[in-house]
Amino acid sequence: VLSAARAADLGEAMDHLLGLRARSQAAALRGGAVPDDRVRPDELSGLEREQLKQCFKVVADFQDMLRRRYSLHLMT
């Protein structure tokens, strides 16, 4: 079962990642480029890079929990 805290962390991480992607796409459009789904860390502020790392950590921890709970490591 997914705890309320973990669900909230995953939701916040998703919101943040989607926001970064949307800002990147908007910047591409303003610059006349074709938008894509890439977020370029070198174009982020230091704080935004740290937040991105935290989002990746939340996702990695969740993936690790899934691997352990469902023995997914046995399938690789």
Side-chain angles (χ1 to χ4, degrees):
V1 176
L2 190 61
S3 72
R6 187 177 298 248
D9 288 346
L10 285 167
E12 288 175 20
M14 181 73 155
D15 287 345
H16 187 70
L17 292 169
L18 290 174
L20 288 175
R21 184 181 73 167
R23 282 190 14 223
S24 176
Q25 290 173 338
L29 288 171
R30 281 192 305 273
V34 176
D36 58 29
D37 291 329
R38 295 183 182 144
V39 174
R40 291 158 186 83
D42 58 316
E43 295 176 0
L44 301 175
S45 70
L47 177 61
E48 290 170 324
R49 279 193 299 276
E50 284 302 314
Q51 291 170 331
L52 182 60
K53 288 178 190 177
Q54 287 300 314
C55 290
F56 289 152
K57 182 178 179 342
V58 167
V59 172
D61 289 348
F62 180 62
Q63 289 173 328
D64 185 55
M65 184 272 301
L66 290 175
R67 266 192 291 286
R68 284 183 280 118
R69 178 170 290 168
Y70 299 107
S71 302
L72 298 176
H73 64 282
L74 299 174
M75 301 175 93
T76 59

